[in-house]
Amino acid sequence: MPEPTAETESGWSPTIKSAIQGIGIFLLAQFVLNQFIGGGNKNGNTSTPGASSPIPSFDARPDSAVAVESYNSIPQNVAPIWPMDSALDLSIYVSPSLVMPALKSAPAESLVVQEKGFTIGNWKDKREIDTTFPVPDEVQHNGTLWAHFYVALAGHELDPAASDYSVAKAYHFFRPLNVVLPKKKVVKTKKLLRGSNTTEVVEEDVTSGPTFTSYYHPNFTISVVPDSGTLNYPTLHPAIRQFIVLESTGARDASGQNGWFYPILFVNTFWQLRDHMTELNSTVKRLPLHISLNNLNNWKFSLYASIDEGLKQNQQQAATGGPVGAGGDGSEFEEFKRILVDTNIYLLSTTAIVSVLHMVFEMLAFKSDISHWRNKKDNVGISVRTILANVFMQTVILLYLVDNREGTSWMILFGQGMGIVLEAWKITKTVDVRVRPAPAGSWLPYHVTFEDKHKLSDTEQKTKEYDEIAFRYLYLIAIPLLGAYAGYSLLYETHKSWYSFIITTLVGSVYAYGFLMMVPSLYINYRLQSVAHMPAKAMTYKFLNTFIDDLFAFTIKMPMLHRLATLRDDVIFFVYLYQGWKYKVDYARVNEFGQGGDEEEIEDKLANKPLVSPPDADAGSSAKVSGIDKGSAKKRK
C-alpha cells in the first residue's frame, strides 16, 4: 500500500484546502475594499435614533423656523440635494487668494472655465477645455494657486455676492492647482580634462533636508459622481470625505440626524506625473490649462481618491524623513502610471501578456541552469574565462545602474544582482577558488587562485586550449576598442566625477562589445564540433527572455545604454541556433561527453537500482554478453 501523504495524515484534502484558501482570499479582499471605500453603510447608522429613517428631498425639509428635535451638528446620513439628470452651470476662477471678490469685479483672465448645461448622469456628455492664464506674482514666489469652483443648477446665479444667490441652487468650493514637492535633483556634470578656468565647479548642497518648491501640472479632470446615493458621513474614508460638500445652511430632516450634500465634483489628479510638471518661479509668466469634464462611476471615484491620497501621504512622509508605509515613497507606482499613460495601448497590452511569460521563463531558466551545473561532471566545453568575465561585467553593470538609480527600476537592479550570484556560483562548480600565500616580491601577502578540481581529460585540455586561443584574439579586439572609447568619452563627454567616468566607460564597453564575451563559447563549440555540453533548456529559456526584454526596453524606464544592450544577445542566439542545427544532438541518449541529456536523471535512478538476475541467466549469458557488446559498438547519429 502507498504510504499516506502529509495531506491525508493531517485530514485536509486538496479540495477542502483550496476552498478554505479561496474563502480567506475573499475575506481579505473585502477587508481591503472596506478600508479603501469606507464603511459602506448606505442604510444609515442604526445606533443613533432617527438616523435610519428615510431622508426626504431637500425641498421637503422642515421649516428652519421650527426647532428640530435632537439636532446633530454632524449629519449621520447625507443624501444628494439635487435630483439625477439635473443640468449644471460651472465656472472656474484662478486666484492666489482663498477670498474671492464679487465675480463681476474679478479680473477677466482669472475666468478659465465657463460651461453651461452639463447634465448629471449623462455618460455621453464629455467636454474638453483648453485655455491659458497669467501667473500671479504670489504664485511665482511659492504661493498657492487656487481654483475656485462655482456650481449652480442651470440658469441660476453663480455669484455668492449677488442678491438673488440661493444656497439651495448653487454652491462654491476651492482646490489648489499647484503642489509643493522636494525639488528635482539636478545632476551636474563637467568635462574632466578642461582647464581650471573653464571647468564647471559643482558645489555640494550644504542645506539640511530636502529643498521644497512649487510645481504645476497643466492637465486634470473634473468628474461628476452621479451614483453615490445616500452616504453614511461619519464612516466615510477621509480621502472621499474631502470631496463631499455639505449643504451650507446645516439643514436637517425631522430627526435632526440627517442632511444633504451637493453633487460630488471630483478634481481627479490621479494620472498626473511628476515628469510632466512645471516648476513655478519668476520666469514662468503664463501657464496652459487642459480640463476634461465628464461623469464618473462612484466605485472608480472611491478607488482613485483613496489610492491618490495614500500616495500623496507616503510622498510627503518620505520627503520629510518620516516613516514610510509598505507602499514605499510612491516612486514605483509613479513609474507604473507613467507606463500606462505614455505607452501605446497595443504595445502595453502585448507587454502585459509577455510579462507573465518573462517571469515563467526566468524561473525555468534559473532552474534548468542550476540543474545542468549541479549534474555536470567535467569541464568539457566550459570557458572559465568567460564566466569570470561575466562576473566582472555584470558587476560593472550593477554599479552603473546604481550610479543612475534615479532612472532605473528596482526590478532591473534585482535581476542584475541575481545574475551575479549565479555566475559566481558557477565558478565554484568549475574550479576550486583558493587563497594562497603570494610569491616573494608581491605587494599583497595573499592572492586568489583558481585550481582545477581534478586531472583534466584530453577533451577538457582541448577546451582549456581553445578557451585561451579565443581570448587571445578577443584581447586584440577588445582592448583597442576600450581605449578608443575611453579616450573619446574623456575628451568629448561630460561626467559627474572620475568614478562616474570609469564606471560609464566600462559599462559602455560592456554594452557595446559585451557580446564578444560570448564568442569563446561559440568558438569552443566550433572546435569541438558539438553543442552537447551546452545547457540547452536554460539557453532556450534565456534567449526567449531576450526577445521579451526587447519589448521591455521600450516600456520600462532604464538608461539608454542598457536599453540598446538588450538587442545584442539576439545575434548570439541566431549563431547558437545555427550551431545547434549543424551539430545535431540526440538528447535521449548519452552523448560523447558522458552526459545523459534530458534523460540523465532517470538513467541515474535506473543505474542505482539493484540488479536482479533471472533464473535462466547462466544459460544465456554468452549470448547476452555478445549482444551487449554488439549494441555498445553502435555509433551515435
Side-chain angles (χ1 to χ4, degrees):
M1 292 180 63
E3 295 182 2
T5 62
E7 289 182 349
T8 57
E9 288 180 350
S10 61
W12 297 97
S13 68
T15 304
I16 297 177
K17 197 172 183 179
S18 300
I20 294 175
Q21 290 176 347
I23 294 173
I25 294 173
F26 173 79
L27 294 176
L28 178 62
Q30 291 294 316
F31 172 77
V32 172
L33 287 176
N34 287 335
Q35 293 301 311
F36 273 130
I37 300 176
N41 183 6
K42 302 268 179 108
N43 298 324
N45 183 3
T46 58
S47 63
T48 304
S52 59
S53 59
I55 304 176
S57 65
F58 184 71
D59 294 335
R61 69 190 184 280
D63 189 353
S64 59
V66 178
V68 176
E69 182 181 359
S70 63
Y71 180 87
N72 193 339
S73 59
I74 300 177
Q76 297 302 302
N77 292 326
V78 288
I81 190 173
W82 298 333
M84 184 76 76
D85 300 332
S86 298
L88 305 180
D89 292 341
L90 170 66
S91 294
I92 302 177
Y93 290 78
V94 293
S95 172
S97 174
L98 282 174
V99 180
M100 282 290 291
L103 298 186
K104 61 182 180 182
S105 60
E109 287 191 313
S110 65
L111 177 61
V112 293
V113 173
Q114 190 173 25
E115 292 295 318
K116 303 288 186 180
F118 181 82
T119 305
I120 301 176
N122 183 0
W123 304 100
K124 296 181 180 180
D125 194 353
K126 299 179 181 179
R127 307 185 187 186
E128 305 289 332
I129 301 101
D130 289 282
T131 185
T132 60
F133 61 91
V135 181
D137 293 337
E138 298 88 340
V139 177
Q140 291 178 335
H141 298 86
N142 286 337
T144 302
L145 179 64
W146 296 99
H148 290 264
F149 296 79
Y150 295 89
V151 187
L153 291 173
H156 288 78
E157 180 60 50
L158 289 168
D159 189 358
S163 58
D164 56 345
Y165 180 81
S166 171
V167 295
K169 305 297 181 183
Y171 69 105
H172 159 245
F173 67 95
F174 46 82
R175 293 283 183 272
L177 288 184
N178 58 335
V179 293
V180 177
L181 297 172
K183 196 169 185 177
K184 294 179 182 178
K185 183 178 180 181
V186 178
V187 178
K188 296 183 179 181
T189 60
K190 58 184 177 181
K191 290 189 176 180
L192 301 176
L193 291 184
R194 281 190 174 183
S196 59
N197 57 336
T198 57
T199 301
E200 179 185 357
V201 178
V202 182
E203 296 182 356
E204 296 292 336
D205 186 8
V206 297
T207 59
S208 60
T211 302
F212 291 88
T213 189
S214 179
Y215 288 92
Y216 168 82
H217 198 288
N219 303 328
F220 68 90
T221 301
I222 302 174
S223 298
V224 179
V225 183
D227 57 344
S228 57
T230 301
L231 304 174
N232 185 249
Y233 187 74
T235 62
L236 285 175
H237 193 288
I240 300 173
R241 192 187 303 151
Q242 65 177 323
F243 294 101
I244 306 298
V245 181
L246 298 177
E247 188 272 330
S248 58
T249 65
R252 297 288 183 269
D253 64 355
S255 68
Q257 302 298 319
N258 305 319
W260 295 265
F261 65 95
Y262 296 109
I264 301 174
L265 262 67
F266 174 41
V267 182
N268 189 356
T269 60
F270 181 83
W271 296 107
Q272 291 184 355
L273 301 178
R274 186 171 178 180
D275 292 344
H276 299 165
M277 290 184 176
T278 302
E279 181 180 345
L280 297 179
N281 51 43
S282 58
T283 62
V284 180
K285 304 297 183 183
R286 201 168 187 88
L287 288 172
L289 180 62
H290 174 82
I291 297 176
S292 299
L293 180 61
N294 57 28
N295 286 274
L296 184 70
N297 292 110
N298 183 61
W299 70 269
K300 290 183 180 180
F301 156 64
S302 302
L303 189 64
Y304 284 149
S306 302
I307 296 178
D308 195 36
E309 184 66 20
L311 290 175
K312 288 178 180 178
Q313 290 181 0
N314 285 343
Q315 290 174 348
Q316 185 177 6
Q317 290 285 343
T320 56
V324 180
D329 61 355
S331 58
E332 292 296 324
F333 196 80
E334 179 85 0
E335 172 66 14
F336 176 70
K337 290 196 297 183
R338 187 194 66 80
I339 293 175
L340 294 179
V341 171
D342 293 346
T343 307
N344 179 275
I345 185 62
Y346 299 107
L347 178 61
L348 181 62
S349 302
T350 304
T351 305
I353 295 173
V354 300
S355 295
V356 179
L357 298 177
H358 186 280
M359 188 182 307
V360 172
F361 290 147
E362 192 80 25
M363 291 187 294
L364 291 175
F366 188 77
K367 174 183 175 297
S368 298
D369 206 12
I370 292 179
S371 177
H372 171 82
W373 281 86
R374 286 183 61 187
N375 297 324
K376 194 167 181 60
K377 303 176 180 63
D378 52 44
N379 292 339
V380 173
I382 301 302
S383 174
V384 179
R385 289 178 175 82
T386 297
I387 300 176
L388 292 172
N390 284 337
V391 172
F392 171 75
M393 290 190 302
Q394 292 196 38
T395 303
V396 169
I397 293 174
L398 180 63
L399 293 175
Y400 172 72
L401 294 175
V402 172
D403 193 46
N404 294 268
R405 58 185 176 275
E406 292 85 3
T408 306
S409 170
W410 280 104
M411 185 175 67
I412 301 297
L413 292 174
F414 177 76
Q416 192 67 33
M418 290 300 297
I420 296 175
V421 173
L422 181 59
E423 292 295 327
W425 175 75
K426 289 179 182 179
I427 296 176
T428 64
K429 293 293 293 182
T430 307
V431 294
D432 289 328
V433 182
R434 297 285 185 264
V435 178
R436 303 296 187 191
S442 176
W443 291 0
L444 299 175
Y446 298 95
H447 67 282
V448 179
T449 61
F450 301 97
E451 302 173 356
D452 296 326
K453 287 182 175 290
H454 57 269
K455 184 178 179 180
L456 302 182
S457 64
D458 292 340
T459 309
E460 289 175 322
Q461 286 287 0
K462 290 181 180 180
T463 298
K464 191 173 182 180
E465 177 186 348
Y466 298 153
D467 190 21
E468 293 175 356
I469 295 173
F471 264 84
R472 187 183 309 131
Y473 289 108
L474 191 63
Y475 290 146
L476 295 177
I477 299 175
I479 292 178
L481 290 176
L482 175 61
Y485 178 75
Y488 174 84
S489 178
L490 191 61
L491 289 174
Y492 297 103
E493 295 181 350
T494 59
H495 304 277
K496 292 185 290 185
S497 61
W498 282 100
Y499 168 79
S500 179
F501 160 71
I502 294 173
I503 294 298
T504 304
T505 302
L506 289 176
V507 82
S509 301
V510 168
Y511 283 146
Y513 318 118
F515 70 94
L516 295 177
M517 292 294 107
M518 305 176 192
V519 173
S521 295
L522 299 180
Y523 178 74
I524 292 173
N525 296 344
Y526 164 71
R527 294 299 299 266
L528 294 178
Q529 297 290 295
S530 174
V531 294
H533 52 273
M534 302 292 287
K537 280 187 176 181
M539 293 193 69
T540 301
Y541 295 140
K542 288 180 179 179
F543 285 133
L544 288 174
N545 268 346
T546 294
F547 293 108
I548 295 176
D549 288 338
D550 296 342
L551 285 174
F552 277 131
F554 298 99
T555 56
I556 293 181
K557 192 174 182 180
M558 62 182 70
M560 180 57 67
L561 286 176
H562 198 76
R563 179 173 284 119
L564 295 176
T566 58
L567 305 175
R568 75 174 187 207
D569 296 338
D570 300 343
V571 178
I572 300 298
F573 172 61
F574 289 115
V575 175
Y576 174 74
L577 281 182
Y578 170 75
Q579 289 186 336
W581 169 80
K582 186 174 178 63
Y583 313 133
K584 300 292 185 181
V585 178
D586 184 2
Y587 288 102
R589 302 178 60 189
V590 177
N591 59 41
E592 62 268 30
F593 305 117
Q595 299 168 351
D598 293 341
E599 302 298 327
E600 182 176 2
E601 295 182 1
I602 299 176
E603 290 177 6
D604 288 344
K605 293 178 181 178
L606 294 175
N608 292 330
K609 284 186 175 182
L611 299 176
V612 179
S613 300
D616 57 346
D618 294 337
S621 60
S622 59
K624 289 185 179 181
V625 169
S626 62
I628 294 174
D629 293 338
K630 182 178 179 180
S632 63
K634 293 181 180 179
K635 294 183 179 180
R636 295 183 68 213
K637 294 181 180 180

